[in-house]
Amino acid sequence: MKALLLSLLLATSAATALADDNAKISGKWKIHINVQGNESDATCDFTQKDTDLTGSCMTDKGDKPMTGKVDGKTIKFQYDSDYEGTAYTAKYSGALDSTGAKFAGTIVIDAFSVDGDFTGTPEK
């Protein structure tokens, strides 16, 4: 019985330690996007539960539901949109900097075979 309780306590501690290593990004972030010289901005409202992200991104095409994951300092999220009647998924992959005040990375839009970069900063 003691061994079982000790094992359970150690497993819980390890899971908590791993969760503490994940970036914390809940809240509103301003996202600046540059895809092949075409710049735009979005405001994403992230809700983080452990490693899962949900929320929405307000883009020039409206408010888009978003999902994603956090793994350490790596942040991945995506939302569906359309351009002139063609549906696409905007896929973001980036990393939080050491200060926790910015994340940056790449955006890929497979439907148009284009990619670019983005930066995100907390909305004040």
Side-chain angles (χ1 to χ4, degrees):
M1 183 70 168
K2 285 183 181 180
L4 177 63
L5 287 173
L6 182 59
S7 295
L8 186 58
L9 179 62
L10 289 173
T12 303
S13 297
T16 301
L18 288 174
D20 288 343
D21 290 340
N22 288 323
K24 305 288 189 259
I25 67 163
S26 286
K28 287 190 178 189
W29 290 72
K30 289 188 178 271
I31 311 295
H32 182 75
I33 305 152
N34 184 342
V35 176
Q36 296 187 335
N38 297 305
E39 296 189 32
S40 62
D41 293 298
T43 301
C44 295
D45 192 359
F46 296 107
T47 300
Q48 181 177 351
K49 182 171 181 182
D50 300 321
T51 61
D52 294 326
L53 291 176
T54 57
S56 63
C57 292
M58 179 58 77
T59 73
D60 58 352
K61 301 288 185 185
D63 199 22
K64 306 296 179 182
M66 175 274 306
T67 60
K69 292 279 186 188
V70 176
D71 183 9
K73 300 288 183 198
T74 301
I75 301 161
K76 294 183 179 186
F77 64 98
Q78 65 184 37
Y79 57 81
D80 294 330
S81 193
D82 70 273
Y83 178 75
E84 295 182 358
T86 300
Y88 69 87
T89 301
K91 299 175 186 176
Y92 295 78
S93 179
L96 193 67
D97 73 3
S98 60
T99 68
K102 177 180 168 184
F103 65 92
T106 58
I107 175 175
V108 175
I109 302 174
D110 293 329
F112 298 108
S113 300
V114 297
D115 59 33
D117 54 44
F118 75 93
T119 56
T121 54
E123 186 174 80
K124 298 191 190 246

